[in-house]
Coordinates of all heavy atoms in Angstrom, one line a residue:
Q1 N -7.2 11.3 -2.3 CA -7.0 12.7 -2.6 C -6.9 13.5 -1.4 O -6.0 14.4 -1.2 CB -8.1 13.2 -3.5 CG -8.0 14.6 -4.1 CD -9.1 15.0 -4.9 OE1 -10.2 14.5 -4.9 NE2 -8.9 16.0 -5.8
L2 N -7.8 13.3 -0.4 CA -7.7 14.1 0.8 C -6.5 13.7 1.6 O -5.8 14.5 2.2 CB -9.0 13.9 1.6 CG -9.0 14.5 3.0 CD1 -8.8 16.1 2.9 CD2 -10.3 14.2 3.8
A3 N -6.2 12.3 1.7 CA -5.1 11.9 2.5 C -3.8 12.5 2.0 O -3.0 12.9 2.9 CB -5.0 10.3 2.4
R4 N -3.6 12.6 0.7 CA -2.4 13.2 0.2 C -2.3 14.7 0.6 O -1.2 15.2 0.9 CB -2.3 13.0 -1.3 CG -2.2 11.5 -1.7 CD -2.4 11.4 -3.2 NE -2.3 9.9 -3.6 CZ -3.0 9.3 -4.5 NH1 -4.0 10.1 -5.2 NH2 -2.9 8.1 -4.8
A5 N -3.4 15.4 0.5 CA -3.5 16.8 0.9 C -3.1 16.9 2.4 O -2.4 17.9 2.8 CB -4.8 17.4 0.6
V6 N -3.6 16.0 3.2 CA -3.3 16.1 4.7 C -1.8 15.8 4.9 O -1.2 16.5 5.7 CB -4.1 15.0 5.4 CG1 -3.6 14.8 6.9 CG2 -5.6 15.5 5.5
V7 N -1.2 14.9 4.2 CA 0.2 14.6 4.3 C 1.0 15.9 4.0 O 1.9 16.2 4.7 CB 0.6 13.4 3.3 CG1 2.2 13.3 3.3 CG2 0.0 12.1 3.8
R8 N 0.7 16.5 2.9 CA 1.4 17.7 2.5 C 1.3 18.9 3.6 O 2.2 19.6 3.9 CB 1.0 18.2 1.1 CG 1.4 17.3 0.0 CD 1.2 17.9 -1.4 NE 1.8 17.0 -2.4 CZ 3.1 17.2 -2.8 NH1 3.8 18.1 -2.2 NH2 3.6 16.4 -3.7
E9 N 0.0 19.0 4.1 CA -0.2 20.1 5.1 C 0.5 19.7 6.4 O 1.0 20.6 7.1 CB -1.7 20.2 5.4 CG -2.5 20.9 4.3 CD -2.0 22.4 4.1 OE1 -1.6 23.0 5.1 OE2 -2.2 22.9 3.0
A10 N 0.6 18.4 6.7 CA 1.3 18.0 7.9 C 2.8 18.4 7.8 O 3.4 18.9 8.8 CB 1.1 16.5 8.2
Y11 N 3.4 18.1 6.7 CA 4.8 18.4 6.5 C 5.0 19.9 6.6 O 5.9 20.5 7.1 CB 5.4 17.9 5.2 CG 5.8 16.4 5.3 CD1 5.2 15.5 4.4 CD2 6.7 16.0 6.3 CE1 5.6 14.1 4.5 CE2 7.1 14.6 6.3 CZ 6.5 13.7 5.5 OH 6.9 12.4 5.6
A12 N 4.1 20.7 5.9 CA 4.1 22.1 5.9 C 4.0 22.7 7.4 O 4.6 23.8 7.7 CB 3.0 22.7 5.0
A13 N 3.3 22.0 8.3 CA 3.1 22.4 9.6 C 4.3 22.0 10.5 O 4.3 22.3 11.7 CB 1.8 21.9 10.2
G14 N 5.3 21.3 10.0 CA 6.4 20.9 10.8 C 6.6 19.5 11.1 O 7.5 19.1 11.9
A15 N 5.7 18.6 10.6 CA 5.8 17.2 11.0 C 7.2 16.6 10.5 O 7.7 17.0 9.4 CB 4.7 16.4 10.3
S16 N 7.8 15.7 11.3 CA 9.1 15.1 10.9 C 8.9 13.9 10.0 O 9.8 13.6 9.2 CB 9.8 14.7 12.2 OG 9.1 13.8 12.9
F17 N 7.8 13.2 10.2 CA 7.5 12.0 9.4 C 6.0 11.7 9.4 O 5.4 11.8 10.4 CB 8.3 10.8 10.0 CG 7.9 9.4 9.3 CD1 8.1 9.3 8.0 CD2 7.5 8.4 10.1 CE1 7.8 8.0 7.4 CE2 7.1 7.2 9.6 CZ 7.3 7.0 8.2
V18 N 5.5 11.5 8.2 CA 4.1 11.3 8.0 C 3.9 9.9 7.3 O 4.4 9.7 6.2 CB 3.3 12.4 7.2 CG1 1.8 12.1 7.2 CG2 3.7 13.7 7.8
D19 N 3.2 9.0 8.0 CA 3.0 7.7 7.4 C 1.5 7.5 7.1 O 0.6 8.2 7.8 CB 3.5 6.6 8.3 CG 3.7 5.3 7.6 OD1 3.5 5.2 6.4 OD2 4.0 4.3 8.3
V20 N 1.1 6.7 6.2 CA -0.4 6.5 5.9 C -0.6 5.0 6.0 O 0.1 4.1 5.4 CB -0.7 7.0 4.4 CG1 -2.2 6.8 4.1 CG2 -0.4 8.5 4.3
R21 N -1.7 4.7 6.7 CA -2.2 3.3 6.7 C -3.6 3.2 6.0 O -4.5 3.9 6.4 CB -2.5 2.9 8.2 CG -2.7 1.4 8.4 CD -3.4 1.2 9.8 NE -4.8 1.5 9.7 CZ -5.7 1.5 10.7 NH1 -5.2 1.1 11.9 NH2 -6.9 1.7 10.5
W22 N -3.6 2.4 4.9 CA -4.8 2.4 4.0 C -5.8 1.4 4.5 O -5.4 0.3 4.9 CB -4.4 2.2 2.6 CG -3.4 3.2 2.0 CD1 -2.1 3.1 1.9 CD2 -3.8 4.5 1.6 NE1 -1.6 4.3 1.4 CE2 -2.6 5.1 1.2 CE3 -5.0 5.2 1.5 CZ2 -2.6 6.5 0.7 CZ3 -5.0 6.5 1.0 CH2 -3.8 7.1 0.6
D23 N -7.1 1.7 4.3 CA -8.2 0.7 4.5 C -9.0 0.6 3.3 O -8.9 1.4 2.3 CB -9.1 1.3 5.7 CG -8.4 1.5 6.9 OD1 -7.6 0.6 7.4 OD2 -8.5 2.6 7.5
D24 N -9.9 -0.4 3.2 CA -10.6 -0.7 2.0 C -11.9 -1.4 2.4 O -11.9 -2.5 3.0 CB -9.9 -1.4 1.0 CG -10.6 -1.6 -0.3 OD1 -10.7 -0.6 -1.1 OD2 -11.1 -2.7 -0.6
D25 N -13.1 -0.8 2.0 CA -14.4 -1.5 2.3 C -14.5 -2.9 1.7 O -15.0 -3.8 2.3 CB -15.5 -0.6 1.8 CG -16.1 0.3 2.8 OD1 -15.5 0.4 3.9 OD2 -17.0 1.1 2.5
D26 N -14.1 -3.0 0.4 CA -14.3 -4.3 -0.3 C -13.4 -5.4 0.3 O -13.9 -6.5 0.4 CB -13.9 -4.1 -1.8 CG -14.9 -3.3 -2.6 OD1 -16.0 -3.2 -2.1 OD2 -14.5 -2.8 -3.7
V27 N -12.3 -5.1 0.8 CA -11.4 -6.1 1.5 C -12.1 -6.5 2.8 O -12.2 -7.7 3.1 CB -10.0 -5.5 1.8 CG1 -9.2 -6.4 2.7 CG2 -9.3 -5.3 0.5
Q28 N -12.7 -5.5 3.5 CA -13.3 -5.9 4.8 C -14.6 -6.7 4.5 O -14.8 -7.8 5.2 CB -13.7 -4.6 5.5 CG -14.4 -4.9 6.9 CD -14.7 -3.6 7.6 OE1 -15.1 -2.7 7.0 NE2 -14.6 -3.7 8.9
L29 N -15.4 -6.4 3.5 CA -16.6 -7.1 3.2 C -16.2 -8.5 2.8 O -16.9 -9.5 3.2 CB -17.3 -6.4 2.1 CG -18.6 -7.1 1.6 CD1 -19.6 -7.2 2.7 CD2 -19.3 -6.3 0.4
A30 N -15.2 -8.7 1.9 CA -14.9 -10.1 1.5 C -14.5 -11.0 2.7 O -14.9 -12.1 2.7 CB -13.6 -10.0 0.6
R31 N -13.9 -10.4 3.7 CA -13.5 -11.3 4.8 C -14.8 -11.7 5.5 O -15.0 -13.0 5.8 CB -12.7 -10.5 5.8 CG -12.3 -11.4 7.0 CD -11.5 -10.7 8.1 NE -11.2 -11.7 9.1 CZ -10.7 -11.4 10.3 NH1 -10.5 -10.2 10.6 NH2 -10.5 -12.4 11.2
F32 N -15.7 -10.8 5.8 CA -16.9 -11.2 6.6 C -17.9 -12.1 5.8 O -18.6 -12.9 6.3 CB -17.6 -10.0 7.1 CG -16.9 -9.3 8.3 CD1 -16.3 -8.1 8.1 CD2 -16.8 -9.9 9.5 CE1 -15.7 -7.5 9.1 CE2 -16.1 -9.4 10.5 CZ -15.5 -8.1 10.3
E33 N -17.8 -12.0 4.4 CA -18.6 -12.9 3.6 C -18.0 -14.3 3.4 O -18.7 -15.3 3.3 CB -18.8 -12.2 2.2 CG -19.8 -11.1 2.2 CD -20.0 -10.5 0.9 OE1 -19.1 -10.7 0.0 OE2 -21.1 -9.9 0.6

């Protein structure tokens, strides 16, 4: 929800391209376990 709001504000501020890289706690935990 916040990431999407940041993307919209970045475009409103003049960004030419906004990309998002997603992370996930459960995916990280599964690897270490």
Side-chain angles (χ1 to χ4, degrees):
Q1 185 179 22
L2 176 59
R4 292 169 185 145
V6 167
V7 168
R8 290 187 171 275
E9 286 294 335
Y11 279 124
S16 60
F17 172 56
V18 186
D19 200 6
V20 180
R21 194 201 76 185
W22 299 102
D23 302 311
D24 184 75
D25 266 5
D26 287 343
V27 171
Q28 184 181 33
L29 178 61
R31 182 184 182 194
F32 288 111
E33 286 182 336

